[in-house]
Structure formats: structure tokens, C-alpha cells
Amino acid sequence: MAESSTISNARFTYVHDDGKFLPSHAVDTHHIVARRSVVKPIAIYLFVMLLVAYAAFLHIEKGRPVTTVIWSVFIGAILIKLLIWSSIVKESVIIMPAFGVQLETHYGSGRINRCFIPVSKILKPVLNECVTPVTCCWCLSLLVHEKDELTLVFKEFRPPLKMLVPIWKALCPATDHQESSDPFLEYG
């Protein structure tokens, strides 16, 4: 069952790889990829080049100390690192029904943060509606045994519901929970 499906919108692309290179039901991967802007890196590099050029102009023409050039290069490097290299490119959920769930965050610099949660510790996958005074969004989280807080599946991204539902539906059977749309019942 090596099928791949995608869903896209203006900010994100959802990619589902179902056992492409492994036997079926061994690994189920879901990726949320951020759409990259072509203009943003070019604008940042141009701004840094103008900053360094202006500092060099001040040094050559006006006789300012060379420290202005050094500081402008330093500030430019910090801007590039903060705005381009540390930006998140992709967040992934790798479901291994026999072992657990691995959550990955891929950064523009190539760094990858991984978090593995054993299937025995996962109580239930939950879709939450997060409401603030300004926005409303959906988030997918896991109820994990012996943790006081929910574990967010996507720590930085807030993909739309149509991208979260297939991941939630894949997590439910992997953690031995039935998909349920029953309303919350209060006892008491």
C-alpha cells in the first residue's frame, strides 16, 4: 500500500507517505511542510548587503572607525541566522504502531529535533480547538501517561483541520483507540 497523498493551502503542504520503502503498516509518515517565500531570503540578503555597504561607505568616506563595519557584519549575520537559518521548514509525525510515535522538527539550517513517545505511554490522540480572543485554530495533541500537560504534535505550525484529521485518524488505530466524535459526557 505505497500511496502518497498531498493537501495544500497558502501556508502549508501536507504529505502522507504510507510505507513507501517498508512493508505496509510498519511505518506511517505524515509531513507538514511550510511553503517557502522566494522574496523573504532575497530581501534579507539585500538588506544585509546595504547595511555592510553603508558601514563601509562611512568608514572610507567619512573616516569613521572600522568598528562600524565589524558591527554591521555582525548584525547582518545575526539577522540571517534568526530569520533564515532558524526558521522551521517541516514538521513530521512518524507512526510506528509496534513501537511508538516520533515527532520531528526540521529547521532551515539542517538541524532536526526529534522526540519519541512509546506507544505504551500514549493514552489517546486528541484534536483540540484552541480559542484566543484574537484567533481560533485547531491543534493535534497526545495524552501521555504520567505527564500533566498535553504533548503537542506540531509545536510551531498550526495547520488547518483538513490536514490534521488524516494524522489523527492514523494515530487512533496505532495507539489502539477508536475514532470517536461523541460529545464530552459529564458525570456527576
Side-chain angles (χ1 to χ4, degrees):
M1 207 173 140
E3 63 184 51
S4 180
S5 63
T6 60
I7 301 172
S8 294
N9 72 2
R11 294 181 59 209
F12 303 110
T13 300
Y14 163 76
V15 180
H16 175 224
D17 297 325
D18 188 14
K20 215 176 211 179
F21 301 109
L22 299 169
S24 100
H25 306 298
V27 175
D28 189 12
T29 58
H30 302 266
H31 309 284
I32 301 288
V33 182
R35 294 252 176 141
R36 298 190 56 90
S37 170
V38 176
V39 177
K40 180 181 171 183
I42 293 172
I44 291 170
Y45 284 126
L46 283 175
F47 177 74
V48 168
M49 287 184 352
L50 285 173
L51 182 70
V52 172
Y54 182 68
F57 167 77
L58 288 177
H59 173 67
I60 293 170
E61 292 293 321
K62 307 269 182 172
R64 298 281 171 111
V66 75
T67 56
T68 56
V69 177
I70 293 171
W71 276 107
S72 67
V73 169
F74 180 69
I75 290 172
I78 288 175
L79 280 174
I80 290 173
K81 183 181 181 327
L82 288 177
L83 298 176
I84 296 176
W85 281 8
S86 63
S87 64
I88 295 177
V89 176
K90 171 173 77 167
E91 287 194 296
S92 302
V93 180
I94 302 169
I95 304 168
M96 299 167 274
F99 301 109
V101 176
Q102 181 165 313
L103 309 174
E104 294 183 350
T105 304
H106 299 255
Y107 293 88
S109 63
R111 185 182 76 180
I112 302 172
N113 285 350
R114 292 183 175 96
C115 174
F116 181 77
I117 303 169
V119 75
S120 61
K121 293 212 177 234
I122 299 173
L123 297 175
K124 186 175 186 176
V126 179
L127 270 174
N128 287 330
E129 185 176 17
C130 302
V131 179
T132 67
V134 179
T135 63
C136 177
C137 64
W138 287 87
C139 67
L140 180 61
S141 54
L142 300 172
L143 283 171
V144 179
H145 185 63
E146 297 179 355
K147 278 199 174 180
D148 294 335
E149 298 178 357
L150 293 172
T151 302
L152 290 177
V153 173
F154 299 107
K155 306 236 183 305
E156 300 294 327
F157 291 163
R158 296 291 173 254
L161 183 62
K162 68 180 179 179
M163 294 181 188
L164 293 175
V165 169
I167 302 169
W168 176 72
K169 285 185 177 184
L171 280 168
C172 284
T175 57
D176 295 329
H177 292 352
Q178 299 294 325
E179 298 171 17
S180 172
S181 61
D182 295 338
F184 178 77
L185 298 175
E186 284 190 37
Y187 295 104

